[in-house]
Amino acid sequence: MWNSDARVRAAYAEGAGIYRIVPEAVAIPTGIEDLVALVRRAAAAHAVLIPRGAGSGMAGGNVGPGIIVDLSTGFSELSIDPQRRTARAGASVTWAQITEAARPFGLRLPPDPSSGLFATSGGMVSTNAAGPRTVRYGSVRAWVEGLQVVEAGGSVRSVTRGAGSGERFSLTTENRQLIAERFPKTRKNSSGYALDKFAESGDEVDLFIGAEGTLGFITAVQWRLDQIPPDIAGAALGFDDLAAMTEAVPYLVSLKPTALELLDSTLLQFVPEAPRVACLLLVEFERESAAAARGVVGDAVRGLKQTLTHVETAVDRRGLEQLWTVRRLASPALARLPPSRRSLQVIEDGCVPLDALGEYVAGLRAAADQAGIPVAIFGHAGDGHVHVNALPDTTRPGWREALARLFDDVTDLLLRLGGVPSGEHGIGRLRAGVLERFYGAEVMELFRAVKRAYDPLTILNPGVIIPATGWAPLAALKVGDGAAAIPDDIASRLRDVERNAAWATPKLELTHPTPST
Ligand SMILES: Cc1cc2nc3c(=O)[nH]c(=O)nc-3n(C[C@H](O)[C@H](O)[C@H](O)COP(=O)(O)OP(=O)(O)OC[C@H]3O[C@@H](n4cnc5c(N)ncnc54)[C@H](O)[C@@H]3O)c2cc1C
């Protein structure tokens, strides 16, 4: 039922993100009955289960000291209903597979995580994943009509939007008031249980979305799909300072873009082909006609002409892809950095109110300078949400302490600006200990009550969202002297997976012995 072989455990010791934690065992259920039997047996033994999809999540919710339950292969059903514009996808089905199956009907799942090639339906729902198009279409939450879940006791249930709040957990009037006061007013949020959305909709499904595997296993998702708009156009807009960029963002958002992405100079410096500007906004508009798409690009450029220092426009999909090349070149450029410069995701997912974006980017740059750690800043400007690759030199004495300082300083900065620590990746183990600072002790107590209601034995991903006793965010790193010992060949394959974003690789393949030469 579960496998305790040392090489198999090693292959599941890392996900994307910073951790290496060798699990006690690994289970790969072949379908729902298998999973139910596993959960019942684990519940009887009080064994800890860690649900997992492709392992591409960055916050450490997909690794841990327990039994990893790999749902990336056994739940692969996929059907499209073009009339109802829905897709029913098993937990293992990726965004790319849904996209490919829906395209012949002129349909798509609008939120578009960059990890869509490998991110599974179970993983996307569990992190409330998002992407560039979220500025127009919201995070995946808005597109989930229903879920099939296996609960901590092993029962199988459907949780459907519109079917109400369920029997497990409810809110009092005082709770609702508290939630309205304490939840941050950012456009995106994947930080803790979405009690604000639950209060608003009264739907239990809103508790499971973004629950990071702490309330139950998601085995299937009923997705809502949308029509693919026929025409597209866009622009790359350069600015010489952050203040001008910050002012441009609300204007561009008011024109209803389908993507509005920021590439900061801290990232552009790694891309020789990039324009030399303080920051670059890539904006995309999808419209019902080519004239409308081109027209709105014209509006964008005209409206900003006083502050722009660089403009390139594109009037069709090919041209737009050309403009976005600069973003695509960033990852390979970062991958070419010397091996000692590791990209560590510790402050990678903060989100702030839109009017605080410039201050946030300036604060990030200052915190990085203070810590002596280069960073590369980019992401979803239209949602006030940017990613940060921290690039410490891991051969330099004191890099861990510097990284810890960066983590603390950026947490303080996000608090000061009314932000949240995660816009789309989740809280995981990494950020569990800071949640209370953002929401306060009373909301944190409500989070604990949600957890108790769904997982009374605390067997589902303990330490994720609700912090473990002795929470230590930068312990158990995959880099440096203290990294847990695993076989060298598996460590090097895990590194290749990370470098090449090859998260779709079946993890058992990493255990195969290297053929002798
Ligand atoms: C190169 C790269 C680019 C990325 N780009 C984006 C992006 O644009 N947008 C974005 O939102 N994210 C992005 N991510 C992060 C990641 O891809 C997403 O969080 C994704 O949704 C995780 O899916 P997964 O299948 O890999 O889940 P995992 O990483 O395996 O798991 C993530 C969390 O979900 C839980 N979980 C997984 N499956 C289930 C299930 N079936 N039932 C219950 N719980 C489950 C796990 O316990 C864990 O807490 C990126 C990651 C990488 C490496």
Side-chain angles (χ1 to χ4, degrees), residues 157-294:
R157 274 202 306 135
S158 287
V159 182
T160 313
R161 191 162 286 292
S165 58
E167 294 162 10
R168 307 267 185 290
F169 179 77
S170 60
L171 294 169
T172 64
T173 310
E174 292 77 47
N175 295 157
R176 286 169 189 277
Q177 230 160 14
L178 176 73
I179 290 162
E181 280 159 24
R182 289 308 310 237
F183 266 68
K185 307 289 177 274
T186 50
R187 287 171 60 104
K188 290 167 86 175
N189 191 4
S190 286
S191 312
Y193 302 119
L195 293 180
D196 55 341
K197 303 296 176 199
F198 177 65
E200 208 176 287
S201 68
D203 279 338
E204 188 183 18
V205 74
D206 277 319
L207 291 178
F208 280 98
I209 300 168
E212 301 186 56
T214 62
L215 302 184
F217 288 88
I218 291 166
T219 47
V221 183
Q222 183 81 8
W223 291 107
R224 194 159 68 80
L225 304 176
D226 198 24
Q227 240 165 355
I228 303 174
D231 278 290
I232 196 163
L237 309 172
F239 300 85
D240 263 354
D241 60 64
L242 282 173
M245 182 278 288
T246 310
E247 273 177 35
V249 166
Y251 170 68
L252 291 169
V253 169
S254 75
L255 298 177
K256 300 202 177 342
T258 34
L260 178 49
E261 298 284 292
L262 167 72
L263 303 181
D264 182 54
S265 56
T266 50
L267 178 86
L268 295 171
Q269 66 176 327
F270 293 108
V271 185
E273 299 84 348
R276 297 293 130 206
V277 289
C279 36
L280 190 70
L281 290 177
L282 298 174
V283 61
E284 173 195 284
F285 296 99
E286 289 176 324
R287 291 294 188 268
E288 288 305 310
S289 70
R294 288 171 197 190

Side-chain angles (χ1 to χ4, degrees), residues 270-334:
F270 293 108
V271 185
E273 299 84 348
R276 297 293 130 206
V277 289
C279 36
L280 190 70
L281 290 177
L282 298 174
V283 61
E284 173 195 284
F285 296 99
E286 289 176 324
R287 291 294 188 268
E288 288 305 310
S289 70
R294 288 171 197 190
V296 70
V297 170
D299 294 343
V301 174
R302 270 189 303 278
L304 296 171
K305 65 173 185 281
Q306 308 294 346
T307 50
L308 287 175
T309 56
H310 171 91
V311 182
E312 281 177 90
T313 57
V315 294
D316 56 19
R317 205 169 291 279
R318 245 183 72 206
L320 204 59
E321 265 163 31
Q322 196 74 34
L323 282 191
W324 285 64
T325 313
V326 57
R327 182 168 179 182
R328 274 187 284 278
L329 288 173
S331 297
L334 291 172

Side-chain angles (χ1 to χ4, degrees), residues 51 53-57 61-62 71 114-115 120 126-127 129-130 212-213 218 424 461:
S56 71
N62 48 23
L71 297 147
S114 317
S115 52
T120 64
S126 299
T127 52
E212 301 186 56
I218 291 166
E424 65 185 22
N461 235 350

